[in-house]
Amino acid sequence: MRDTKSHGQKATGPTLLKLLLRLEGDIRRRLEPIRVTLLQAGVLLFLRRHAEANVTDAAATWA
């Protein structure tokens, strides 16, 4: 999946950074109608994956 070339050769496709920024924008647009931020979505995913976690665990993870 890597399109970049080493030793001064030009990349043939989007860079990883460009792809990540595009993905972030897509996620933000999908969350906007339900008024959820990326951080809030991340916390919800954490809590879903770690049902046994308490508030202190969640806070320590995001600190």
Side-chain angles (χ1 to χ4, degrees):
M1 176 168 171
R2 203 167 169 178
D3 289 344
T4 58
K5 303 285 183 180
S6 58
H7 305 295
Q9 294 177 343
K10 192 172 182 177
T12 58
T15 65
L16 181 58
L17 178 58
K18 286 181 183 178
L19 291 173
L20 287 173
L21 290 174
R22 187 181 310 157
L23 179 61
E24 180 191 5
D26 290 345
I27 293 170
R28 283 183 186 271
R29 280 189 291 282
R30 289 173 184 251
L31 292 173
E32 189 175 316
I34 59 172
R35 297 182 182 194
V36 173
T37 67
L38 282 175
L39 181 59
Q40 290 168 333
V43 170
L44 290 172
L45 283 173
F46 173 83
L47 292 173
R48 182 176 177 137
R49 292 179 182 166
H50 303 279
E52 74 287 351
N54 57 33
V55 174
T56 304
D57 295 334
T61 300
W62 294 97

